[in-house]
Structures are given as C-alpha cells and as structure tokens.
Amino acid sequence: MNLWLIVRPLLSRLVRFFHISLIEARSERSSSRLGILWAPLSTLIFAGLLTGVFHQQPLREAGDFFLFVLSGYVLWNFITATVTTSTTVVQRRYDFAVHNNLTLVGLFFKLLIDRLFAMGLNLILLLGCLVIVKPQTIGLQLLLLPAMLLIMALVSLAIAYLVNVAVIFFPDLDAVFNVAMRLLFFASPVFWSAEAQGTGVRAILATYNPISHYLSVFRQCFGIVPFEPMAWAVTLSLSLILCVAGTATYRLTADFIRNLR
Amino acid sequence: MAAINLQNVSVSYYLRKSRTRGTNLDGGSVGAQILVGQRYLEIAALQDVSLSLADGDRVGIVGTNGSGKSTLLKLCAGAVAAQSGKVEIDGVVSAQFALGSGLRSELSGRQNAALKCLYLDVPQSMVAEYVEDLKRISGLGSYFELPLSSYSAGMKSRFVMSLLRLVRGEILIMDEWINAVDPTLNETIDSLQSQLIERSKILLLASHSERVLRQWVNKIIWLERGTLKAFGPIEDVLKDYQVWMKNRK
C-alpha cells in the first residue's frame, strides 16, 4: 500500500509527460501528412541504407544483418539524443520550465520522456520488423527489455545532467560533444560487428567502447545476438558508476546552476 | 496549513565573465550589488532577508527595478536556490511569474491550452473539458485553433488571461497581475482572480500598481537593492515607500 502511494504519483507524472511529448511531437510534424510516423520511417530508411551499403554476404544473412543494424541504430538514436539535446538544457529551457511549474529535476525528467517517446516509436518499428523478418528470434529474453529500458533511462538522465554541467562550465564542450558523437557512431558496433575479425581495431572498440556493451545487451533482449552475462555485468557496472556520478554532480551543482543566468 | 519562513536568506545570480562583460561595472541607481569573481559575476539579488508568512496573509511586494522582487518570488517557488540562510515552504505552491511565458508560439491556442493543463497538473481526464472552458473564456472562437504567432496582441492577451482558470495552489505566487486590456473581459477576469485568491491560503504578489495592491493585499514587503526595508500592514509600508520614492526623485 505504502509503495503504491509512492509509485502512483510517479506513474501519473510519467503518463502526463508522455502525453506532453505526444502533443509536442505531433505539432512539430503537423505540416507533413505522415506526422510522427516520420520518426520510425526515417530510422527504417537509414537502417536499410546502412544494411545495403555495409552488408557482407558471407558473414550474415541480409535479414539478420538488417535487424542487427536496425536494433543498433534504434539504441544509437537514443544515446546520441541524450548527449546532443542536453548540452544547453539549463541555459535555454530552464526559464520555460520555471514558467510551467517544473523543477530542475522535472525538466530533465521531461526531456528524458521526450527521448523515450521517440525511442518507443522506434521500438514498435523494431518489433514489427522482428515479427516480419525473423519471428523465431523473439523469446523469453524479451522479458529483459523493461530492465534494459529502466537502466537506459537512468543512465540517460545521469548523462544528460553531466553533459549539461560540463558545457555550462566549459562552453566549448558543446561543439566537442557534437563532433564526438559523430565519431562514436563509426567507433561503435551499430552497423559493423567484431565477431568475424576476433582481433584488430573492431575487436578493441567492441571491448573498450562502453557503448558496444549497451548495444550488445539491447540486441540480446531481442535475440539478435546470443545472451552474454558478461555484457550485462559490464553494462550494470558502467550504469551504476554513471548514475552515482550524475547524482553526486547534481548534489554539488544544482544550487549554483539554478541561479546561473 | 501553509507557511513561508525565511531566515537570513541570501540569493545570488551568477553570470559567466566574458571579454566584454565584467570589465566596467559602475553602480547605477537601481539594481543589486555586482561582485566580480574569477570566472563569474555575482549579482547579490537578496541579502539577509528574514520573514514569516502564514495562512491568510495576502502580501504585496514593492521596490524599484532590480530590488529583488522577482527573486524573492522565485525563491519561494523553488526556482532559485539560497546561497545562505534557511528556507522553509509548507504547502503546494503555484507560481505564475508571467502567465504569457512558457507558451509556444508555433502551436495553436488549443495545443498550448492542453500543454498548460498538463504542466499545471489538471487531472488528465479533465484536460479536454478544461480546454473547451478556456476556449469559451478567451472568446477566441476559431482563432483558438490557429498558432499563437498569428494572434494580435489583444488576442494573445485574451488567451493568456483565460489561463488564470488553470492556476491553483495553497501558496499563490504572481509576478505580474493580470489587468484586462479588453473591457469585455473585465468581469470574467475579475471573477477568476477573486476565486483564485479565495482558494489560496497565502498570496504573494509583486506589483507596481497601488490600485492592485490596495485591492488584493493586506501586507507589504518593501525590498530595496536586495535587502528588506520594511514588512508590515499595507497602510504603513506603502505610505513610507511612496514618501521614499517621492524624495528619491
């Protein structure tokens, strides 16, 4: 009963923010006929393009490779949105938030919901493609998806705050983050896999680039790659570190940041 | 029971120093003190302010430009943090620093109204009903479906005033009071304002208008350059403030 009393207002806020995201997303694309459907459609087109260009026949079947790329690109979109849309949150949106009765935490939470909303549209696309292309891959591992999404949501919240604070103190980092995300796209196994090489640059990137572990566990949820407990262990450890860093940074800087003009 | 207790509270704003900002900081006749730090300029917006407000207090805030009126309101709403001192706020706060702010000009009146409803905690099952109510109060007709950017100043004002319908809270904080520019709206707005004040337990209102203050508040906080010059019944403090303003000129 007590737990429900705590959870209920959070759920209510969650639904409220998803409703706001829906209205805003619809209005942003109100001039087009397909409206918000353009979000998953553009993901589909780009993933198809990457599949066509980078598919290597001997390594994977085209269908498998398409699902590999699509799943990677869906998560990549969420990761890149976390960084690139968070560089100027306080500087540009806090005033809007204050006028709409949002706290600093509320603002970051609302923007997280915006990202989750966009990801949700892409997830529907991914599940649809899975059902069409390879329905046998969907299994019990899909039950891991809610846990994965919760981890990603918390990490996204932490990274968004850390990125924003970094840019506030060092404004030049805004451009650095944007360039870094473009580089990371190629340095992460979104449209390439290290499985065939075993050694070399790809293998190093797949091991030491933290994003590759998140991509791996995300794909595991859909049965696109086999279940690897080590990838989950690394992802959980990295997420814990990022969440602790985000919380500590918030505690140290929130008062100063709220008064920054 | 609602209450606001501030003990020796100081609030500063920070501005990043740049080549053009922070080199020439001559003091003007208004505004808080500016301190030059290594990387930031510190504007001491409130200094050592102490006051207590309880149920039934209807408080107006007066002071010259930059005296700290908006900062005090934002502090009570939790929008800015105190650098020192103790802040205790009991009760649900509804802050309306500027009802017209926080709107998106590219969205229609209907979309903006729905968003405002959601942001201002209107129960989701009642959003549609509230939006229709706002359409009726604003009297905008089919303009309600058009983007705010296509509204004339008067239409925008009508829309903004209708949003008063959404404001609720035990502690009501307002940085600007809504004065109907269109006489046909006066009655509706007056009625909404009265309902708002009756519902709230504490009213905190910044205004330069003596008429508004005399109509709605029973106490006055007088701020000057971030410090509390006086706090007491409207009759005493407003008189002192007006004399001070006259002599200052």
Side-chain angles (χ1 to χ4, degrees), chain B residues 60 62-63 220-224 227-231 237 240-241 244:
Chain B
V62 296
I220 292 282
I221 292 170
W222 173 12
L223 291 170
E224 206 46 55
T227 57
L228 184 68
K229 281 206 84 159
F231 173 43
V237 180
D240 291 347
Y241 173 65
W244 181 83

Side-chain angles (χ1 to χ4, degrees), chain B:
Chain B
M1 189 183 143
I4 295 175
N5 285 305
L6 307 181
Q7 283 175 32
N8 308 106
V9 170
S10 295
V11 177
S12 292
Y13 289 118
Y14 299 95
L15 280 145
R16 180 175 279 279
K17 261 169 73 176
S18 65
R19 284 178 199 149
T20 52
R21 196 158 64 191
T23 48
N24 186 9
L25 296 170
D26 298 335
S29 59
V30 292
Q33 189 187 0
I34 302 175
L35 309 167
V36 183
Q38 207 170 4
R39 294 180 64 186
Y40 293 93
L41 300 177
E42 182 181 344
I43 299 167
L46 285 180
Q47 296 173 66
D48 203 25
V49 171
S50 297
L51 56 92
S52 283
L53 305 180
D55 278 5
D57 280 340
R58 306 272 178 255
V59 184
I61 307 177
V62 296
T64 52
N65 295 329
S67 58
K69 300 187 294 293
S70 296
T71 304
L72 179 60
L73 294 178
K74 285 184 177 173
L75 178 74
C76 293
V80 296
Q83 268 61 49
S84 63
K86 197 173 168 187
V87 181
E88 285 178 349
I89 312 287
D90 290 328
V92 179
V93 178
S94 179
Q96 299 307 318
F97 301 114
L99 270 175
S101 302
L103 297 172
R104 297 179 57 165
S105 59
E106 75 277 15
L107 302 190
S108 68
R110 180 176 293 281
Q111 287 167 323
N112 269 300
L115 285 176
K116 269 285 177 193
C117 285
L118 290 166
Y119 277 123
L120 298 185
D121 288 335
V122 169
Q124 290 194 76
S125 56
M126 295 176 73
V127 168
E129 192 184 314
Y130 269 74
V131 169
E132 285 306 317
D133 213 15
L134 292 177
K135 184 180 177 182
R136 184 185 54 78
I137 295 169
S138 67
L140 284 168
S142 10
Y143 275 94
F144 198 66
E145 316 301 331
L146 300 182
L148 252 56
S149 54
S150 66
Y151 288 13
S152 68
M155 286 176 183
K156 210 171 276 180
S157 162
R158 273 175 168 267
F159 180 73
V160 167
M161 284 185 283
S162 70
L163 296 176
L164 270 178
R165 168 82 173 85
L166 305 175
V167 180
R168 61 198 59 236
E170 292 172 307
I171 299 170
L172 184 61
I173 290 173
M174 301 197 86
D175 199 2
E176 63 169 26
W177 202 236
I178 309 298
N179 291 303
V181 288
D182 184 340
T184 60
L185 270 178
N186 271 331
E187 205 175 306
T188 317
I189 298 303
D190 278 350
S191 148
L192 285 172
Q193 286 176 344
S194 305
Q195 285 170 24
L196 255 178
I197 291 182
E198 279 162 20
R199 279 203 304 258
S200 66
K201 293 177 179 169
I202 296 175
L203 170 71
L204 210 48
L205 154 71
S207 178
H208 289 287
S209 162
E210 186 183 341
R211 182 188 66 79
V212 167
L213 291 170
R214 288 200 182 278
Q215 186 176 358
W216 298 110
V217 308
N218 53 27
K219 288 181 180 175
I220 292 282
I221 292 170
W222 173 12
L223 291 170
E224 206 46 55
R225 293 202 165 203
T227 57
L228 184 68
K229 281 206 84 159
F231 173 43
I234 183 168
E235 291 306 329
D236 303 342
V237 180
L238 201 55
K239 204 167 84 184
D240 291 347
Y241 173 65
Q242 283 164 338
V243 170
W244 181 83
M245 283 292 279
K246 211 171 174 183
N247 292 336
R248 185 172 167 265
K249 284 169 190 170

Side-chain angles (χ1 to χ4, degrees), chain A residues 101-169:
Chain A
N101 280 8
L102 285 180
T103 60
L104 188 59
V105 174
L107 172 62
F108 276 90
F109 187 65
K110 191 261 168 200
L111 295 173
L112 167 69
I113 300 300
D114 285 347
R115 295 193 290 274
L116 286 172
F117 178 80
M119 193 195 197
L121 293 174
N122 284 332
L123 276 177
I124 293 169
L125 168 74
L126 177 59
L127 284 167
C129 289
L130 266 173
V131 170
I132 294 166
V133 178
K134 214 170 179 186
Q136 67 274 22
T137 59
I138 301 172
L140 281 177
Q141 71 276 10
L142 201 58
L143 295 173
L144 292 169
L145 187 60
M148 169 63 187
L149 290 178
L150 182 65
I151 293 168
M152 285 308 300
L154 294 172
V155 170
S156 178
L157 203 57
I159 289 179
Y161 190 75
L162 288 169
V163 164
N164 196 192
V165 169
V167 173
I168 284 170
F169 288 111

Side-chain angles (χ1 to χ4, degrees), chain A residues 59-60 65 68 192-199 202-203 206 224-226:
Chain A
L59 298 179
R60 278 174 184 266
F65 189 63
F68 179 87
W192 54 261
S193 154
E195 63 184 21
Q197 275 75 14
T199 55
R202 286 188 182 186
I224 292 167
V225 296

Side-chain angles (χ1 to χ4, degrees), chain A residues 183-216:
Chain A
L183 290 176
L184 269 175
F185 177 67
F186 296 101
S188 306
V190 176
F191 57 91
W192 54 261
S193 154
E195 63 184 21
Q197 275 75 14
T199 55
V201 177
R202 286 188 182 186
I204 293 168
L205 286 172
T207 309
Y208 295 106
N209 176 356
I211 293 172
S212 63
H213 300 286
Y214 286 93
L215 288 168
S216 174

